[in-house]
Amino acid sequence: AQSVSQHNHHVILSEAASLELGCNYSYGGTVNLFWYVQYPGQHLQLLLKYFSGDPLVKGIKGFEAEFIKSKFSFNLRKPSVQWSDTAEYFCAVNARSSNTGKLIFGQGTTLQVKP
Amino acid sequence: NAGVTQTPKFQVLKTGQSMTLQCAQDMNHEYMSWYRQDPGMGLRLIHYSVGAGITDQGEVPNGYNVSRSTTEDFPLRLLSAAPSQTSVYFCASSRDRISYEQYFGPGTRLTVT
C-alpha cells in the first residue's frame, strides 16, 4: 500500500531562516506529487505539484520542491520564510496507475515562524 | 464561483445519531472526495466519486455512506455516530482524474459525545 511520511512534525523558525520540509513516499510506480498548505482557520490550498518533466518545481509564495526519484522524496523548500508562512504543510501522493485521483497524505508538518 | 462549499461548519452529535454532511461544487468537476483530518494523522480518504452515479471506498470508509446523484453534490452520511468519528471533515473536487489538482472546501468540525 502507498504511504507518505513527513519527517518533521513541528518546525519552529525565525523570520528569514531557510526552510526544508522532508517528504518520502513508498510506491514503486509512477506518481504525481503535491504539497498543500493549510493556514490557520482556512482550508487546504495547493502550493505546488509535480507530474513530470523538470524535477525542480516552483510554486506560489516562493516555495519550491525537488523530486528525487531514487530517494522517493519530494522535499519542500523556501530560502527565507516569513511570519505569514505559519501554517500546516501536507505532502500528498497519487499513484498514476490508479486512475482514480486518490490522494494519500502525509501526517502534516506544523510550521511556526517567529517574527 | 463559490468553489467547494460545505455545511454545516460545526456540528455536535450524540452517540448513535445520524446526520448528513453536505458538499457542493459549482465548477462542474467530475471527481469529488471526502477526507477526515485528525491530529498527527494528516488527511485520510473516506469515499470518492469519479462521476455522477459512481462512488468507491477510500482508506477509512466504515461508518460512512455516500451517493452522487448529481455532478454538483456529494453528501456524506454518518449512519450511527460514534466518538471515533469526532474529526474535521473536508470535501474536495477536481476537474477530472487526470488533472489531480483538488480544491478543498472549508471543512466541517464534528464532535460526537
Side-chain angles (χ1 to χ4, degrees), chain B residues 67-98:
Chain B
S67 60
R68 184 99 178 266
S69 55
T70 66
T71 300
E72 294 79 19
D73 301 298
F74 191 45
L76 178 73
R77 279 181 286 277
L78 281 71
L79 307 172
S80 177
S84 60
Q85 293 178 303
T86 293
S87 187
V88 181
Y89 292 85
F90 288 99
C91 180
S93 75
S94 66
R95 183 170 55 87
D96 51 41
R97 285 170 275 182
I98 305 302

Side-chain angles (χ1 to χ4, degrees), chain A residues 61-75:
Chain A
K61 306 187 180 187
F63 285 91
E64 64 178 32
E66 184 176 14
F67 170 48
I68 303 180
K69 189 175 180 180
S70 60
K71 294 185 178 180
F72 298 90
S73 70
F74 189 56
N75 292 353

Side-chain angles (χ1 to χ4, degrees), chain A residues 32 34 36 38 42-46 49 51 88 90 94-96 99-108, chain B residues 31 35 37 40-45 48 50 57-59 90 97-107:
Chain A
N32 299 317
F34 306 82
Y36 282 86
Q38 186 178 28
Q42 296 188 26
H43 57 276
L44 277 80
Q45 303 170 41
L46 182 67
K49 61 188 177 188
F51 287 177
E88 191 158 16
F90 294 94
N94 165 263
R96 210 174 292 175
N99 199 30
T100 61
K102 288 165 61 175
L103 282 180
I104 305 298
F105 282 84
Q107 308 94 315
Chain B
Y31 181 92
Y35 295 86
Q37 183 182 21
M41 302 188 75
L43 280 81
R44 292 179 292 168
L45 182 65
Y48 67 97
V50 299
Q57 296 180 351
E59 301 172 76
F90 288 99
R97 285 170 275 182
I98 305 302
S99 70
Y100 299 128
E101 178 175 346
Q102 298 198 26
Y103 296 82
F104 285 82

Side-chain angles (χ1 to χ4, degrees), chain B residues 3-32:
Chain B
V4 180
T5 57
Q6 292 182 238
T7 55
K9 283 191 166 54
F10 302 93
Q11 182 71 49
V12 179
L13 289 179
K14 293 188 189 312
T15 298
Q17 287 184 316
S18 63
M19 80 159 295
T20 299
L21 307 185
Q22 301 292 344
C23 174
Q25 52 90 8
D26 60 359
M27 298 173 282
N28 201 31
H29 282 175
E30 183 179 308
Y31 181 92
M32 296 185 74

